[in-house]
Amino acid sequence: MKKNSCFIPFLFFVCCITSEAAFCQIKVSGRIMDAGTMQPLEYAAIADLGCNGAITSSDQSGNFTLFLKNINDSLAVSLVGYKTQHVHTGSHGNITIELEHAVLNLKDIVVLQSNSVTKFSTLSKIDLDLKPVRNTQELLRLVPGLFVAQHAGGGKAEQIFLRGFDCDHGTDVQVSVDGLPVNMVSHAHGQGYADAHFIIPETINNIDFGTGPYYADHGNLNTAGYVAFRTFNNIANSRVEVEAGRFNTYQALAMLDLIKKNKSKQSAYIASEVNYTNGPTINPQHFKRFNIFGKYNLAINDRTQFTASVSSFASGWDASGQVPGRAVANGLIDRFGSIDPSEGGQTQRHNASLLLIHHFTNGAYWQNQLFYSRYLFDLYSDFTFYLNDPVKGDEINQGERRNLAGYQTKLNHQYQLGKFSLKSTYGAGVRYDATQDSKLTHVVKRVFLSNIQLGNIKETNGFAFTQQQFSEGKWLLDAGLRADYFHFCYFNKLSHLQQPGQSKMILSPKLNIQYTATAAFQLYVKTGKGFHSNDTRVVVANSGKEILPAAYGTDLGVIIKPNKKLLLNIAAWYLKLNQEFVYVGDDGNIEPAGKTLRKGVDVIARYQLANNIFANVNINFTKPRALGLSKETSYIPLAPTATSTGGLYYKAGKGFNGSISYRYIKNRSANEDNSIIAKGYFLGDASINYTKPSYEIGLAVENMLNSKWNEAQFATTSRLQNENTAATELNFTPGTPFFARLKLAVFF
């Protein structure tokens, strides 16, 4: 707590200044909407064209508040992909502004002073528009610097890499959709397991993301960063889409607009998706997935909005697993073969969310959300083959049934204190996870042999936070404080022992400062403390030691718009973790990895070459190291050191559209002493579409150069059936070769 002591008095002072003062300022509130769909528009820039020169942005409900010196001032409202509109406020205290679609143009991007802790959310919406995605892997890859790998036949949550972290399946990156948490704490397969396959990509309207632990409204698992997906409130039209590709790959999608009139009052749509593929492996994956999602919006009155959403998802698959390099080298199996083809699994998730937002007459708004998930998981894996059991083999089964419920509330208000503008946010909530029969068992060909671990988990996380954002002239100070309380309980069904529950609380201060010299130049520094919780089974087994390892980080960055067509964000950063200490579900053991330090540089660039031609590039360099070890043994396994993504995109309203994109990851260490190397890769993808108002035909190609690459890689000790001794080497899942797919979509 000593590291936090310098923050606490300042934050206490900041959080107590909340009384409103009227210094001859005129408050104008309003809402920004899409003129066609009446979809609320987030991150629209609202600028005062009068002498005050104030500027702000709309929130996720499209609402904004701006303080003017003259009620007759005009406002300029702009958002990428929409026509800029000038509005005369007159005597109206509350206005609705409807923006019409226009050709994408980077000149509409404004470096906002008020947008201190959200990086490039508007640009992620552009990327979504320029490069439509077909699955959650492609959705996640839209986040600059984020890489994913799939190594279990398509049904398992992706392995995530971000800012020098091998986040496993989500240990160090927080993922959510419409406020619903995706990560599963104390999961049977790994802490923070983030299976986002219940998301239908075509329903995603925007991706909010941030790197580092600098955001008061994001708590557990937000160390490397967070990703928050947001779905459309309503859709412009209905669509039916079919797709077919190599490896017996098929997909069908339907999105139906259920209420076509008066969408500002109420709207509803339903989306459903069916997927099937055998994959490129010799043993067919028989992967199948079904998704359904529905959303309903109701304006109860002019100030109160109600939203309800439900979704359901189920999938099943077979997997060829991770391939030992020596088995391929000696000809025992093909690169796309398998040692144990009985791997695979099935999973289900069913979600419900209720959201109520009320806007007060003073410009404040209050948001309340209830959510619930029912989750089932069953996974068969074999990593070591005949290392532990030379007769029956080492195949394991991990599984659980889970109920997840929660409530969260947030109050936002904006004040004018003389020359200072103050935005205050207060939030609180609770999340409760209860699992039944969280298990790790020994199996052979999916047939039960014996239990290794079996028990029930109850984990509660209560939290509260405040964020105070002061701005005056070109300066903005954003201070936050978050408190999280955890309670862990575990009942061991093998020993019939209810182990003593453990509790812990952690405070996470945040402080972000920025200087916006012009609408084209901004400097910022972000500092903060974050954490990831450990698995309940680890917590109770270790009597509460190292429950909430903290992470301390700093970013120093600049956002530059040297001309109307180019936007750059460059940031240097470091992040220190007190303990990379997680539950390893594959063998039931505890592996504390000690303290770590990561340093890096991120570069994000967007450029518009012509009216319809865009380019982007993201470059990330990181030096990840374990602390307290010799230089030769301080490598962090699988931690990326250099990555890059980018592409060229041609986007027209009608007719032909297309893109060419790439992703690159450098060779990196697969173990602590750098004696085993995980191989890097460079992949190119391309797509072309012909779009008309009533239909679209498209062709997409992945790995267009047919590169030979490894998707997931691990340094693993294993023994094959015909071997007398074990070997430690690189095991891998082969990456997909050249893959083409055709699409036909009909709009109505």
Side-chain angles (χ1 to χ4, degrees), residues 244-262:
R246 287 191 73 190
F247 316 123
N248 290 321
T249 299
Y250 305 98
Q251 179 181 2
L253 167 75
M255 293 180 66
L256 303 178
D257 186 3
L258 302 180
I259 301 177
K260 295 183 177 294
K261 296 182 179 181
N262 201 15

Side-chain angles (χ1 to χ4, degrees), residues 30-96:
R31 196 177 191 200
I32 313 299
M33 308 288 286
D34 183 301
T37 66
M38 299 308 294
Q39 170 88 21
L41 296 178
E42 188 177 10
Y43 302 124
I46 303 96
D48 177 14
L49 298 179
C51 60
N52 193 29
I55 188 169
T56 189
S57 61
S58 55
D59 61 27
Q60 69 182 79
S61 299
N63 292 284
F64 71 92
T65 298
L66 196 64
F67 290 92
L68 311 177
K69 289 185 177 180
N70 189 337
I71 191 61
N72 294 315
D73 284 353
S74 294
L75 304 179
V77 183
S78 62
L79 180 62
V80 174
Y82 291 86
K83 296 178 181 178
T84 298
Q85 188 173 143
H86 291 81
V87 179
H88 184 67
T89 58
S91 59
H92 300 288
N94 195 291
I95 55 178
T96 298

